[in-house]
Amino acid sequence: MSEDGETTAENGVRIPPVPYDEWDHDLFSVINPDKKLPEANVLGIFQRHPALARAFLTFNMHLNTTTLPVRVRELAVMRVAWRRGSRYEWASHVLIGRKYGVTESEIEEVRTGADTLLNRAVDELDTDSGLSDATYAALAVDLDEHQLMDLVFTIGAYTMLTMALNTFGVELDPVISEENFSFPKREWYSHKREG
């Protein structure tokens, strides 16, 4: 933590992405073996550490193709992004969520911390590193064992990714809007589970 108490790169980029024309596109074969991926700042950051990129992106590809319904995954990732103050993850996953049918009212529920089961699950995991019996039982009504595992690992992986994006100061890609990201600074520290 810096002297002013900041833990994120509020005033600039700490690790700049590798310019697109310098990318080793083979590094991303785990994501898409058949073609070059479009320019994205998060991928440009991964170019700086190929061994980490291969390991993380392999795991991340599992999370993107798991047993978890896509809408559930995207709502969970958006809640992680909101709580963790990750403008990049928020904007990216709002777009993905809409593509898979997440509604504007559901996005607003994520933003406002409405008492939905998924918001509660993300908030509990983020605050307490575990789920209460009541939340676990409620999730288990609709999710099987594999889906429950995939949900917990998805929330954990995207929490870790938001830490990296915030710490290294990864900027939004030019083609992505902020999507009404008016995150109150340090909001996640004020969340406490009740009951």
Side-chain angles (χ1 to χ4, degrees):
M1 186 178 297
S2 65
E3 289 180 21
D4 61 1
E6 293 304 319
T7 57
T8 60
E10 299 269 334
N11 297 315
V13 174
R14 289 180 174 155
I15 298 179
V18 171
Y20 187 70
D21 60 354
E22 297 175 23
W23 281 16
D24 171 6
H25 289 276
D26 289 339
L27 180 61
F28 300 130
S29 62
V30 67
I31 297 174
N32 193 341
D34 301 325
K35 63 181 182 179
K36 289 183 177 181
L37 292 174
E39 186 172 2
N41 288 333
V42 67
L43 296 178
I45 292 296
F46 276 117
Q47 283 284 324
R48 296 227 173 257
H49 196 331
L52 174 65
R54 283 185 194 93
F56 182 80
L57 295 174
T58 298
F59 177 59
N60 192 255
M61 280 309 295
H62 167 76
L63 298 178
N64 287 324
T65 58
T66 65
T67 61
L68 201 59
V70 177
R71 291 181 74 263
V72 171
R73 180 192 74 210
E74 291 307 313
L75 286 166
V77 171
M78 281 187 271
R79 184 63 185 159
V80 168
W82 187 262
R83 281 182 58 91
R84 288 282 161 173
S86 178
R87 182 174 275 107
Y88 193 99
E89 235 15 74
W90 171 258
S92 299
H93 285 273
V94 165
L95 292 176
I96 296 168
R98 284 183 182 134
K99 179 180 174 184
Y100 288 99
V102 172
T103 66
E104 295 306 312
S105 63
E106 289 173 315
I107 293 168
E108 188 60 20
E109 287 175 342
V110 170
R111 282 176 43 99
T112 60
D115 187 21
T116 68
L117 181 57
L118 273 177
N119 281 352
R120 199 161 54 248
V122 172
D123 293 359
E124 286 182 16
L125 284 166
D126 192 34
T127 301
D128 299 329
S129 296
L131 293 172
S132 67
D133 289 342
T135 300
Y136 190 89
L139 288 166
V141 169
D142 293 317
L143 301 178
D144 65 26
E145 188 175 82
H146 285 180
Q147 291 171 322
L148 287 165
M149 292 177 72
D150 285 334
L151 178 64
V152 171
F153 276 92
T154 296
I155 292 167
Y158 279 92
T159 297
M160 179 173 57
L161 184 57
T162 62
M163 289 177 186
L165 295 170
N166 288 346
T167 297
F168 305 139
V170 179
E171 297 178 319
L172 284 178
D173 299 320
V175 296
I176 298 178
S177 76
E178 287 196 356
E179 291 296 340
N180 298 318
F181 192 91
S182 57
F183 178 79
K185 199 164 155 186
R186 309 281 221 170
E187 179 184 272
W188 67 87
Y189 289 128
S190 67
H191 289 280
K192 297 292 179 197
R193 192 176 77 213
E194 302 195 312

